[in-house]
Amino acid sequence: MFLVALTGGIGSGKSTVSSMFLDIGVPVIDADKIAREGYPFVILDVPLLFEGKSLLSYVKFTVVVSCNEEQQLARIIDRNDFTEEHAIQRISTQMALQEKCRLATYVIDNSGTIDETLNQVKELQQRLTEVKGYQQLKMAIVLLGFGFIIVAFWKFSCSLNVEKPL
């Protein structure tokens, strides 16, 4: 997978082309929409954040979702239809959840009920919304640098074999 930047001048039809990509099944991250709606923060869902390390300098806080080992194994087996052996092998290729929790700013324990997890998410959202002196200035910087962050992530995680246009 690789990242493609879509740009153009005002009134050039970027939103139309972006919608066309969405309509044919291509995911689109709309940084302009995020900026217009004035979110105080944005969640960047990165499965191998600590393993790659290249994005850590771009984020203010890190949140790890954790559960007990039995739940993790059962969820992988159920979700991916893996054998237990295959699931254990996949888990072993990543940093242990305990280590990720140690490195995280915040931890959401997803070992309980959906309601318990949702309560933790809501509490964290409140805490992050209350961060002073960071919201407005950093949001502008984040949105401007959002493309650079994604590019850094993809450079780390993907080998790109890109052909020159015809």
Side-chain angles (χ1 to χ4, degrees), residues 71-83:
Q71 286 174 313
Q72 183 182 21
L73 184 62
R75 288 172 182 170
I76 294 169
I77 291 169
D78 291 343
R79 182 190 70 197
N80 296 7
D81 198 28
F82 284 172
T83 64

Side-chain angles (χ1 to χ4, degrees), residues 32-47:
D32 191 41
K33 181 178 180 181
I34 292 168
R36 279 193 313 266
E37 296 189 11
Y39 297 105
F41 62 91
V42 176
I43 299 294
L44 185 61
D45 184 339
V46 184

Side-chain angles (χ1 to χ4, degrees), residues 137-149:
L137 176 62
K138 285 295 185 175
M139 192 60 183
I141 293 169
V142 166
L143 291 174
L144 289 173
F146 191 73
F148 296 112
I149 294 169

Side-chain angles (χ1 to χ4, degrees), residues 16-132:
T16 300
V17 171
S18 183
S19 293
M20 289 175 179
F21 276 114
L22 281 169
D23 290 345
I24 61 173
V26 178
V28 174
I29 300 168
D30 188 340
D32 191 41
K33 181 178 180 181
I34 292 168
R36 279 193 313 266
E37 296 189 11
Y39 297 105
F41 62 91
V42 176
I43 299 294
L44 185 61
D45 184 339
V46 184
L48 301 175
L49 178 68
F50 292 114
E51 289 85 346
K53 297 181 184 171
S54 63
L55 285 180
L56 286 172
S57 62
Y58 295 103
V59 298
K60 176 71 174 174
F61 303 110
T62 57
V63 180
V64 168
V65 178
S66 185
C67 64
N68 66 50
E69 292 176 6
E70 294 79 21
Q71 286 174 313
Q72 183 182 21
L73 184 62
R75 288 172 182 170
I76 294 169
I77 291 169
D78 291 343
R79 182 190 70 197
N80 296 7
D81 198 28
F82 284 172
T83 64
E84 183 174 339
E85 181 181 319
H86 190 198
I88 290 170
Q89 188 274 327
R90 288 292 294 271
I91 291 170
S92 72
T93 64
Q94 295 185 5
M95 181 184 293
L97 275 176
Q98 289 177 333
E99 179 64 11
K100 289 182 182 187
C101 291
R102 190 184 69 72
L103 296 171
T105 312
Y106 300 101
V107 176
I108 293 177
D109 180 6
N110 194 20
S111 297
T113 67
I114 292 293
D115 286 338
E116 290 169 335
T117 301
L118 179 59
N119 286 335
Q120 292 175 73
V121 169
K122 288 178 179 179
E123 288 173 18
L124 180 56
Q125 186 268 342
Q126 183 63 40
R127 290 176 92 177
L128 294 173
T129 301
E130 293 172 354
V131 172
K132 303 290 184 209

